[in-house]
mmCIF file of all heavy atoms in Angstrom:
data_model
loop_
_atom_site.group_PDB
_atom_site.id
_atom_site.type_symbol
_atom_site.label_atom_id
_atom_site.label_comp_id
_atom_site.label_asym_id
_atom_site.label_seq_id
_atom_site.Cartn_x
_atom_site.Cartn_y
_atom_site.Cartn_z
ATOM 1 N N PRO A 32 -115.112 -6.673 64.292
ATOM 2 C CA PRO A 32 -113.787 -7.313 64.044
ATOM 3 C C PRO A 32 -113.815 -8.771 63.770
ATOM 4 O O PRO A 32 -112.868 -9.367 63.160
ATOM 5 C CB PRO A 32 -112.956 -6.949 65.255
ATOM 6 C CG PRO A 32 -113.889 -6.848 66.357
ATOM 7 C CD PRO A 32 -115.195 -6.224 65.728
ATOM 8 N N ASP A 33 -114.811 -9.514 64.273
ATOM 9 C CA ASP A 33 -114.728 -11.000 64.309
ATOM 10 C C ASP A 33 -116.017 -11.613 63.929
ATOM 11 O O ASP A 33 -116.859 -11.872 64.723
ATOM 12 C CB ASP A 33 -114.288 -11.457 65.721
ATOM 13 C CG ASP A 33 -113.938 -12.939 65.794
ATOM 14 O OD1 ASP A 33 -113.920 -13.565 64.704
ATOM 15 O OD2 ASP A 33 -113.668 -13.474 66.860
ATOM 16 N N LEU A 38 -122.999 -19.170 54.016
ATOM 17 C CA LEU A 38 -123.927 -19.013 52.988
ATOM 18 C C LEU A 38 -124.557 -20.337 52.647
ATOM 19 O O LEU A 38 -123.801 -21.271 52.175
ATOM 20 C CB LEU A 38 -123.283 -18.336 51.786
ATOM 21 C CG LEU A 38 -124.215 -18.115 50.592
ATOM 22 C CD1 LEU A 38 -125.473 -17.250 50.937
ATOM 23 C CD2 LEU A 38 -123.437 -17.461 49.441
ATOM 24 N N ASP A 58 -118.331 -19.407 53.795
ATOM 25 C CA ASP A 58 -118.386 -20.818 53.925
ATOM 26 C C ASP A 58 -119.698 -21.278 53.206
ATOM 27 O O ASP A 58 -120.770 -21.077 53.758
ATOM 28 C CB ASP A 58 -118.439 -21.156 55.476
ATOM 29 C CG ASP A 58 -118.397 -22.576 55.785
ATOM 30 O OD1 ASP A 58 -118.593 -23.449 54.824
ATOM 31 O OD2 ASP A 58 -118.377 -22.932 56.993
ATOM 32 N N ARG A 80 -122.186 -23.923 64.803
ATOM 33 C CA ARG A 80 -121.846 -24.598 66.040
ATOM 34 C C ARG A 80 -120.596 -25.448 65.906
ATOM 35 O O ARG A 80 -119.721 -25.487 66.783
ATOM 36 C CB ARG A 80 -123.010 -25.466 66.504
ATOM 37 C CG ARG A 80 -124.234 -24.676 66.942
ATOM 38 C CD ARG A 80 -125.451 -25.568 67.251
ATOM 39 N NE ARG A 80 -125.213 -26.523 68.240
ATOM 40 C CZ ARG A 80 -126.000 -27.510 68.560
ATOM 41 N NH1 ARG A 80 -127.149 -27.699 67.829
ATOM 42 N NH2 ARG A 80 -125.706 -28.347 69.456
ATOM 43 N N ASN A 92 -130.770 -12.502 52.914
ATOM 44 C CA ASN A 92 -129.746 -12.181 51.889
ATOM 45 C C ASN A 92 -130.192 -10.974 51.100
ATOM 46 O O ASN A 92 -129.361 -10.412 50.302
ATOM 47 C CB ASN A 92 -129.534 -13.400 50.951
ATOM 48 C CG ASN A 92 -130.831 -13.703 50.126
ATOM 49 O OD1 ASN A 92 -131.857 -13.583 50.547
ATOM 50 N ND2 ASN A 92 -130.550 -14.115 48.891
ATOM 51 N N ASP A 111 -126.210 -7.874 79.281
ATOM 52 C CA ASP A 111 -127.081 -8.460 80.312
ATOM 53 C C ASP A 111 -127.097 -9.967 80.084
ATOM 54 O O ASP A 111 -127.471 -10.433 78.959
ATOM 55 C CB ASP A 111 -128.492 -7.895 80.206
ATOM 56 C CG ASP A 111 -129.431 -8.432 81.236
ATOM 57 O OD1 ASP A 111 -129.043 -9.429 81.958
ATOM 58 O OD2 ASP A 111 -130.590 -7.955 81.319
ATOM 59 N N ARG A 113 -129.163 -12.008 80.879
ATOM 60 C CA ARG A 113 -130.498 -12.490 80.587
ATOM 61 C C ARG A 113 -130.954 -12.199 79.145
ATOM 62 O O ARG A 113 -131.990 -12.625 78.715
ATOM 63 C CB ARG A 113 -131.510 -11.835 81.525
ATOM 64 C CG ARG A 113 -131.292 -12.237 83.008
ATOM 65 C CD ARG A 113 -132.263 -11.400 83.833
ATOM 66 N NE ARG A 113 -132.003 -9.911 83.645
ATOM 67 C CZ ARG A 113 -132.967 -8.972 83.770
ATOM 68 N NH1 ARG A 113 -134.189 -9.305 83.979
ATOM 69 N NH2 ARG A 113 -132.636 -7.734 83.579
ATOM 70 N N GLY A 135 -142.052 -6.461 67.324
ATOM 71 C CA GLY A 135 -143.106 -7.345 66.887
ATOM 72 C C GLY A 135 -144.121 -7.606 67.999
ATOM 73 O O GLY A 135 -143.816 -7.681 69.128
ATOM 74 N N CYS A 144 -149.493 -12.198 64.026
ATOM 75 C CA CYS A 144 -148.501 -11.308 64.556
ATOM 76 C C CYS A 144 -148.380 -10.093 63.621
ATOM 77 O O CYS A 144 -148.776 -10.188 62.429
ATOM 78 C CB CYS A 144 -147.146 -11.957 64.765
ATOM 79 S SG CYS A 144 -146.517 -12.717 63.248
ATOM 80 N N VAL A 159 -136.989 3.825 71.097
ATOM 81 C CA VAL A 159 -136.723 3.352 72.445
ATOM 82 C C VAL A 159 -136.341 1.950 72.409
ATOM 83 O O VAL A 159 -137.118 1.062 71.882
ATOM 84 C CB VAL A 159 -138.000 3.517 73.305
ATOM 85 C CG1 VAL A 159 -137.687 2.955 74.754
ATOM 86 C CG2 VAL A 159 -138.361 5.049 73.541
ATOM 87 N N TYR A 178 -129.339 -21.194 70.723
ATOM 88 C CA TYR A 178 -129.750 -22.043 69.607
ATOM 89 C C TYR A 178 -129.656 -23.486 70.083
ATOM 90 O O TYR A 178 -130.551 -24.336 69.682
ATOM 91 C CB TYR A 178 -128.912 -21.782 68.361
ATOM 92 C CG TYR A 178 -129.186 -20.527 67.698
ATOM 93 C CD1 TYR A 178 -128.312 -19.388 67.880
ATOM 94 C CD2 TYR A 178 -130.166 -20.339 66.797
ATOM 95 C CE1 TYR A 178 -128.521 -18.173 67.338
ATOM 96 C CE2 TYR A 178 -130.408 -19.098 66.121
ATOM 97 C CZ TYR A 178 -129.493 -18.024 66.430
ATOM 98 O OH TYR A 178 -129.706 -16.819 65.787
ATOM 99 N N ASP A 185 -137.701 -24.510 64.610
ATOM 100 C CA ASP A 185 -138.644 -25.575 64.356
ATOM 101 C C ASP A 185 -138.697 -25.829 62.863
ATOM 102 O O ASP A 185 -139.113 -24.997 62.092
ATOM 103 C CB ASP A 185 -140.009 -25.230 64.893
ATOM 104 C CG ASP A 185 -141.086 -26.407 64.716
ATOM 105 O OD1 ASP A 185 -140.844 -27.277 63.898
ATOM 106 O OD2 ASP A 185 -142.084 -26.402 65.541
ATOM 107 N N ILE A 190 -141.412 -21.210 55.817
ATOM 108 C CA ILE A 190 -141.115 -19.787 55.926
ATOM 109 C C ILE A 190 -142.333 -19.201 56.690
ATOM 110 O O ILE A 190 -143.397 -19.726 56.716
ATOM 111 C CB ILE A 190 -140.933 -19.151 54.562
ATOM 112 C CG1 ILE A 190 -140.382 -17.707 54.667
ATOM 113 C CG2 ILE A 190 -142.273 -19.127 53.724
ATOM 114 C CD1 ILE A 190 -139.971 -17.075 53.407
ATOM 115 N N HIS A 218 -134.172 -3.479 53.880
ATOM 116 C CA HIS A 218 -134.596 -4.819 53.466
ATOM 117 C C HIS A 218 -135.301 -4.664 52.104
ATOM 118 O O HIS A 218 -136.256 -3.846 51.902
ATOM 119 C CB HIS A 218 -135.619 -5.355 54.484
ATOM 120 C CG HIS A 218 -136.076 -6.783 54.224
ATOM 121 N ND1 HIS A 218 -137.232 -7.246 54.747
ATOM 122 C CD2 HIS A 218 -135.581 -7.727 53.422
ATOM 123 C CE1 HIS A 218 -137.408 -8.483 54.410
ATOM 124 N NE2 HIS A 218 -136.416 -8.813 53.520
ATOM 125 N N ARG A 231 -147.909 -18.221 46.368
ATOM 126 C CA ARG A 231 -146.925 -18.825 47.174
ATOM 127 C C ARG A 231 -146.862 -18.259 48.599
ATOM 128 O O ARG A 231 -146.819 -18.892 49.598
ATOM 129 C CB ARG A 231 -145.571 -18.586 46.517
ATOM 130 C CG ARG A 231 -144.389 -19.378 47.164
ATOM 131 C CD ARG A 231 -143.116 -19.152 46.373
ATOM 132 N NE ARG A 231 -142.031 -19.823 46.965
ATOM 133 C CZ ARG A 231 -141.696 -21.083 46.829
ATOM 134 N NH1 ARG A 231 -142.485 -21.782 46.079
ATOM 135 N NH2 ARG A 231 -140.659 -21.666 47.356
ATOM 136 N N SER A 239 -148.149 -21.844 58.033
ATOM 137 C CA SER A 239 -147.355 -21.635 59.261
ATOM 138 C C SER A 239 -148.186 -20.954 60.329
ATOM 139 O O SER A 239 -148.019 -21.310 61.536
ATOM 140 C CB SER A 239 -146.192 -20.694 58.864
ATOM 141 O OG SER A 239 -145.281 -21.331 58.016
ATOM 142 N N LEU A 244 -150.432 -21.454 65.762
ATOM 143 C CA LEU A 244 -151.578 -21.255 66.604
ATOM 144 C C LEU A 244 -151.832 -22.580 67.430
ATOM 145 O O LEU A 244 -152.007 -22.560 68.620
ATOM 146 C CB LEU A 244 -152.817 -20.882 65.852
ATOM 147 C CG LEU A 244 -154.143 -20.705 66.553
ATOM 148 C CD1 LEU A 244 -154.059 -19.660 67.552
ATOM 149 C CD2 LEU A 244 -155.202 -20.427 65.577
ATOM 150 N N PRO A 266 -163.223 -14.950 54.522
ATOM 151 C CA PRO A 266 -164.072 -14.313 53.539
ATOM 152 C C PRO A 266 -163.529 -12.989 53.010
ATOM 153 O O PRO A 266 -163.807 -12.677 51.770
ATOM 154 C CB PRO A 266 -165.361 -14.025 54.368
ATOM 155 C CG PRO A 266 -165.064 -14.294 55.744
ATOM 156 C CD PRO A 266 -163.849 -15.188 55.796
#
Side-chain angles (χ1 to χ4, degrees):
D33 190 2
L38 178 58
D58 184 349
R80 291 173 61 189
N92 67 323
D111 181 351
R113 297 174 300 148
C144 58
V159 176
Y178 291 96
D185 185 334
I190 190 172
H218 184 200
R231 185 178 180 83
S239 294
L244 178 61

